[in-house]
């Protein structure tokens, strides 16, 4: 009986070791090195191109001019394009800050900005770059709100409502003007007084 028990115990241990070994081998095979996978970035560039500060400013002017002319159909399309381009530009600016954002908490805490500024390649202030990226995100939010307001003004509430909801989700608490405008349109659509 003891011998049978010892054999069963040995078999269980062997099966456990084989299972662990197979699991590790499978895990190793499923781990893929994505270091040289640029497909996501390439797809984004193919979809949106390469925005520049001046091209995004031009899109803003076109959209705002159409809004002021009350050409809401054309303005809606212009604001949709502007919102995407402003967001993409913000993401590209943020990509330049990725070594800082991607670092561990301790490395960020110990990072010397003064050492960065003394480098021979120093051209851009990191804090200014972050502020600029955030300003483009604010512009994206405003453009999304305006796109929703275009459809609101056209009486196309089914199209306006998702845009207004998303814009209100993104609008900063300090941006009370756009917050109130979006909230008023939303509440008007749903009949809340």
């Amino acid at each position: 009986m003891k011998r049978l028990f010892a054999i069963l115990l040995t078999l269980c241990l062997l099966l456990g070791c084989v299972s662990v070994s197979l699991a590790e081998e499978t895990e190793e095979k499923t781990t893929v090195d994505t270091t040289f996978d640029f497909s996501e970035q390439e797809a984004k560039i193919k979809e949106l191109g390469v925005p520049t500060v001046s091209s995004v400013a031009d899109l803003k002017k076109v959209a705002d001019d159409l809004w002021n002319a009350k050409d809401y159909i054309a303005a809606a399309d212009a604001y949709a394009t502007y919102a995407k381009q402003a967001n993409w530009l913000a993401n590209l600016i943020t990509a330049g800050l990725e070594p800082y954002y991607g670092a561990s908490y301790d490395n960020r805490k110990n990072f010397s900005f003064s050492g960065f500024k003394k480098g021979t390649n120093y051209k851009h202030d990191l804090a200014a770059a972050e502020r600029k990226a955030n300003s483009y995100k604010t512009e994206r939010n405003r453009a999304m709100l305006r796109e929703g307001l275009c459809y609101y003004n056209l009486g196309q509430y089914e199209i306006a409502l998702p845009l207004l909801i998303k814009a209100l989700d993104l609008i900063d608490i300090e941006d009370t003007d756009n917050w109130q405008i979006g909230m008023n349109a939303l509440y008007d659509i749903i009949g809340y007084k």
Side-chain angles (χ1 to χ4, degrees):
M1 186 69 161
K2 288 183 182 181
R3 188 173 192 176
L4 181 62
F5 181 72
I7 292 172
L8 287 175
L9 182 62
T10 304
L11 283 174
C12 287
L13 287 173
L14 280 172
L15 286 174
C17 291
V18 168
S19 296
V20 168
S21 175
L22 288 175
E24 286 175 1
E25 188 175 311
T26 304
E27 212 173 280
E28 287 174 13
K29 287 181 183 178
T30 59
T31 303
V32 178
D33 182 8
T34 59
T35 302
F36 295 101
D37 181 7
F38 309 114
S39 58
E40 185 178 333
Q41 295 84 357
E42 289 169 343
K44 200 71 159 170
I45 291 168
K46 186 175 182 179
E47 175 191 354
L48 297 171
V50 180
T52 64
V53 171
S54 62
S55 70
V56 171
D58 291 344
L59 290 171
K60 179 181 192 247
K61 182 176 179 352
V62 168
D64 286 344
D65 288 348
L66 291 166
W67 170 267
N68 292 331
K70 298 189 185 325
D71 185 353
Y72 297 125
I73 293 171
D77 287 338
Y79 278 121
T81 300
Y82 172 52
K84 288 176 185 170
Q85 290 293 313
N87 187 66
W88 181 220
L89 184 56
N91 290 344
L92 290 172
I93 292 169
T94 302
L97 304 172
E98 193 55 37
Y100 179 78
Y101 290 138
S104 71
Y105 171 77
D106 288 335
N107 285 345
R108 284 193 312 266
K109 186 175 78 173
N110 296 326
F111 179 72
S112 170
F113 287 99
S114 63
F116 185 86
K117 292 179 181 181
K118 291 177 185 173
T120 57
N121 295 319
Y122 179 72
K123 287 185 176 182
H124 301 283
D125 179 75
L126 299 179
E130 184 171 13
R131 283 192 300 276
K132 192 64 170 175
N134 289 339
S135 75
Y136 282 114
K137 290 176 185 174
T138 298
E139 282 300 308
R140 171 207 59 202
N141 302 345
R142 177 185 161 278
M144 193 179 294
L145 174 66
R146 284 280 179 96
E147 181 186 0
L149 291 171
C150 286
Y151 290 112
Y152 167 78
N153 289 329
L154 293 167
Q156 296 179 13
Y157 298 150
E158 296 82 18
I159 300 172
L161 200 54
L163 290 161
L164 294 171
I165 292 168
K166 187 61 173 180
L168 286 164
D169 184 44
L170 295 171
I171 289 172
D172 188 83
I173 193 170
E174 301 290 325
D175 189 0
T176 57
D177 289 339
N178 284 320
W179 178 6
Q180 289 175 354
I181 291 167
M183 183 175 64
N184 290 342
L186 170 67
Y187 288 172
D188 186 50
I189 290 171
I190 63 174
Y192 178 67
K193 305 258 182 225

